[in-house]
């Protein structure tokens, strides 16, 4: 770093130097060590920090990536792809490029059916559809999805499923306390596309704030049980079925 610091004090105009540094461990300590180099880089050139996206920011990134290529994507499809791939932007870009290639000639819209057909994730049996079924208190639908998950636990880990349910009910709880319930404001505060605001509005009518708090406590309990606490034999598939029943029919 000392050599780099010396160079940055008097860089060559004929040279383009790019330094990439990945912060690991304690980001603050790493940044402190680089503070002088960073200060010089900002003074003499361009200093750019690329922060990892939160999960709820990924669908918008997908929309923007495709927009730059002249392609649109259905909000349901964007969420479905995000759920399947996660927040690995490199992999997302690869999957999106594949989808673009598979679009019929003249088509400029990616839909959920395209995700299912070309990537392999089911548009009917996924965490997004599970939380939607819970929000609607549709026990039969939610249980059918849970049964599918139970048969495919490697592709649908319990920890990811319970996290998705937790995030869903936290948003419903947050919705109850929003002063401005206009669609744009709700979408911004909940970190979702405006397309999904109506779903949260309906779910909030079925689940009071107090009920949401109870569900969140229930999720915490079942998260511990999935790790073996107060549970020696019930498998993850059965835990999920129990959880769904208690969320919908519990008090």
């Amino acid at each position: 770093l000392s050599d780099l610091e010396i160079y940055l004090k008097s860089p060559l105009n004929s040279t383009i130097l790019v330094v990439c540094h990945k912060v690991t461990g304690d980001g603050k300590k790493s940044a402190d060590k680089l503070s002088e180099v960073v200060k010089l880089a900002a003074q003499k050139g361009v200093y750019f920090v690329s922060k990892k996206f939160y999960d709820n920011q990924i669908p918008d990134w997908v929309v923007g990536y495709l927009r730059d290529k002249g392609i649109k994507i259905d909000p349901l499809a964007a969420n479905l792809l995000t759920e399947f791939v996660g927040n690995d932007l490199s992999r997302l870009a690869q999957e999106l490029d594949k989808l673009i290639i598979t679009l019929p000639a003249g088509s400029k819209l990616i839909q959920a059916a395209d995700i299912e057909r070309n990537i392999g994730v089911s548009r009917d049996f996924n965490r997004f559809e599970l939380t939607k079924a819970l929000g609607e208190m549709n026990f039969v639908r939610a249980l059918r999805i849970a049964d599918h998950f139970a048969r495919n636990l490697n592709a649908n880990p319990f920890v990811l499923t319970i996290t998705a349910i937790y995030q869903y009910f936290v948003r419903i709880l947050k919705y109850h306390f929003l002063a401005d319930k206009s669609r744009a404001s709700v979408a911004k505060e909940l970190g979702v596309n405006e397309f999904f605001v109506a779903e949260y509005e309906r779910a909030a009518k079925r689940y009071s704030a107090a009920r949401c708090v109870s569900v969140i406590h229930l999720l915490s309990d079942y998260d511990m049980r999935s790790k073996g606490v107060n549970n020696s034999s019930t498998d993850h598939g059965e835990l999920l079925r129990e959880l769904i029943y208690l969320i919908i029919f519990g008090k």
Side-chain angles (χ1 to χ4, degrees):
L1 288 180
S2 58
D3 290 340
L4 182 59
E5 186 178 332
I6 292 171
Y7 175 79
L8 287 174
K9 288 179 179 177
S10 184
L12 294 173
N13 292 331
S14 59
T15 300
I16 297 176
L17 176 65
V18 178
V19 179
C20 296
H21 174 70
K22 183 176 182 180
V23 177
T24 58
D26 189 333
K28 185 178 185 303
K29 289 182 179 179
S30 298
D32 289 343
K33 293 177 183 178
L34 289 169
S35 59
E36 191 59 36
V37 171
V38 167
K39 188 185 299 182
L40 286 168
Q43 291 174 353
K44 302 292 184 176
V46 176
Y47 175 63
F48 174 72
V49 178
S50 179
K51 295 182 179 179
K52 189 173 183 178
F53 282 7
Y54 293 110
D55 288 346
N56 63 6
Q57 295 175 306
I58 301 300
D60 285 340
W61 181 89
V62 168
V63 171
Y65 181 86
L66 291 172
R67 185 191 304 119
D68 291 342
K69 296 178 179 291
I71 304 293
K72 294 182 179 180
I73 186 169
D74 181 272
L76 288 171
N79 276 269
L80 191 59
L81 180 64
T82 299
E83 179 188 299
F84 179 71
V85 177
N87 59 5
D88 184 334
L89 299 187
S90 295
R91 187 181 168 201
L92 271 171
Q94 291 174 0
E95 296 293 351
L96 289 169
D97 289 341
K98 291 177 187 176
L99 285 168
I100 292 172
I101 293 172
T102 61
L103 285 175
S107 177
K108 297 291 183 181
L109 175 65
I110 295 174
Q111 298 178 303
D114 298 310
I115 305 294
E116 182 176 31
R117 182 170 55 251
N118 296 292
I119 295 181
V121 59
S122 171
R123 57 177 165 169
D124 295 318
F125 299 100
N126 56 73
R127 288 183 287 276
F128 175 75
E129 289 298 324
L130 175 60
T131 55
K132 182 179 179 181
L134 289 172
E136 295 171 348
M137 289 188 167
N138 187 334
F139 179 67
V140 173
R141 173 77 178 134
L143 194 60
R144 189 176 296 130
I145 296 171
D147 287 339
H148 174 81
F149 284 7
R151 293 191 298 271
N152 303 274
L153 285 174
N154 288 336
N156 303 281
F158 185 84
V159 64
L160 295 184
T161 301
I162 201 169
T163 298
I165 298 173
Y166 169 80
Q167 292 172 339
Y168 188 75
F169 278 92
V170 166
R171 289 191 183 112
I172 298 173
L173 179 61
K174 189 173 183 179
Y175 175 87
H176 280 289
F177 296 98
L178 292 178
D180 182 356
K181 286 187 168 60
S182 64
R183 178 158 295 198
S185 178
V186 170
K188 180 180 179 181
E189 292 298 327
L190 299 189
V192 299
N193 187 289
E194 286 190 32
F195 178 85
F196 300 104
V197 169
E199 179 182 332
Y200 286 96
E201 290 174 345
R202 292 191 295 269
K205 293 177 181 178
R206 297 184 177 96
Y207 294 91
S208 66
R211 181 80 178 277
C212 287
V213 171
S214 296
V215 169
I216 290 169
H217 282 301
L218 185 66
L219 290 167
S220 177
D221 178 48
Y222 271 74
D223 178 51
M224 296 300 291
R225 290 185 64 189
S226 73
K227 296 176 172 65
V229 178
N230 297 323
N231 174 42
S232 59
S233 60
T234 309
D235 63 33
H236 286 182
E238 192 57 37
L239 284 175
L240 182 57
R241 294 185 187 97
E242 287 181 13
L243 181 59
I244 286 171
Y245 178 87
L246 292 172
I247 288 174
I248 293 177
F249 297 111
K251 300 297 183 182

